[in-house]
Amino acid sequence: MTISPLAVMLGLVIGQRLGELVIANRNTKRLIARGGREVGARHYPLFILLHAGWLASLAIFVPFDRWPYMPLIVLYLLLQLGRVWVITSLGPYWTTRIITIDDAPTVKRGPYRFIKHPNYLVVGMEIAVLPLAFQAWWIAGIFSVLNALLIGYRISVEERALAPRI
């Protein structure tokens, strides 16, 4: 019996995302308890739909016996280091939602020293790289465009929320 590389990768990604949701929800509750408020909540379900659709598309349309292009799998795994760097740099402020606290500092450490929205860069690359590793260029293209549109909107919402503190 051969283990499907796609099944392994999907299992790892789903497990990681679920673990991150636990951390994000815990941080969100703590931030709200400290007086934080959520901004842009109406578009949040679109992110859930986007990511679920991306993973479902891979599971449905990529043959489970397809072997990936390993350099792109390595790149995807390296992107996870960027993801961890973002999460640890934001610490208790990291969440999947936009939560703002008027007196909270703006984070300027870790990757935030170099780029304003490193998490969105990492996620954008993940959405393209994983399907490309399995030769699913159309999944990479469609979900990259959808992600770019959604992230573009989210950044504008986030920038307005952070403007008083910058």
Side-chain angles (χ1 to χ4, degrees):
M1 181 174 173
T2 305
I3 297 175
S4 165
L6 178 62
V8 170
M9 288 304 297
L10 288 175
L12 290 172
V13 173
I14 290 167
Q16 176 188 31
R17 295 296 201 268
L18 291 174
E20 289 173 358
L21 284 175
V22 169
I23 295 167
N25 288 336
R26 182 188 67 218
N27 287 347
T28 296
K29 287 177 185 174
R30 289 179 182 166
L31 292 169
I32 297 294
R34 287 182 47 203
R37 65 187 181 286
E38 184 172 3
V39 179
R42 287 185 20 201
H43 74 270
Y44 184 74
L46 296 175
F47 279 100
I48 303 298
L49 186 62
L50 177 87
H51 285 264
W54 173 67
L55 292 168
S57 294
L58 287 166
I60 293 167
F61 297 111
V62 175
F64 273 78
D65 61 351
R66 182 172 290 166
W67 196 257
Y69 181 62
M70 290 310 291
L72 287 179
I73 294 296
V74 170
L75 176 59
Y76 186 87
L77 295 174
L78 289 172
L79 286 169
Q80 302 323 295
L81 297 175
R83 178 181 281 283
V84 169
W85 194 20
V86 165
I87 293 170
T88 57
S89 295
L90 287 176
Y93 298 104
W94 183 81
T95 179
T96 55
R97 297 177 180 269
I98 303 171
I99 307 294
T100 185
I101 299 177
D102 293 334
D103 62 346
T106 303
V107 174
K108 302 226 188 263
R109 64 180 172 271
Y112 292 89
R113 290 178 295 174
F114 310 108
I115 183 170
K116 211 168 186 182
H117 300 284
N119 190 60
Y120 303 144
L121 176 63
V122 169
V123 171
M125 291 178 68
E126 288 174 336
I127 285 174
V129 169
L130 190 58
L132 289 174
F134 287 94
Q135 299 86 47
W137 57 268
W138 66 273
I139 294 173
I142 290 169
F143 284 92
S144 291
V145 168
L146 292 173
N147 183 62
L149 292 170
L150 195 51
I151 290 296
Y153 176 75
R154 183 180 179 100
I155 287 173
S156 69
V157 171
E158 195 170 304
E159 292 290 324
R160 283 192 305 274
L162 293 174
R165 295 190 328 210
I166 297 175

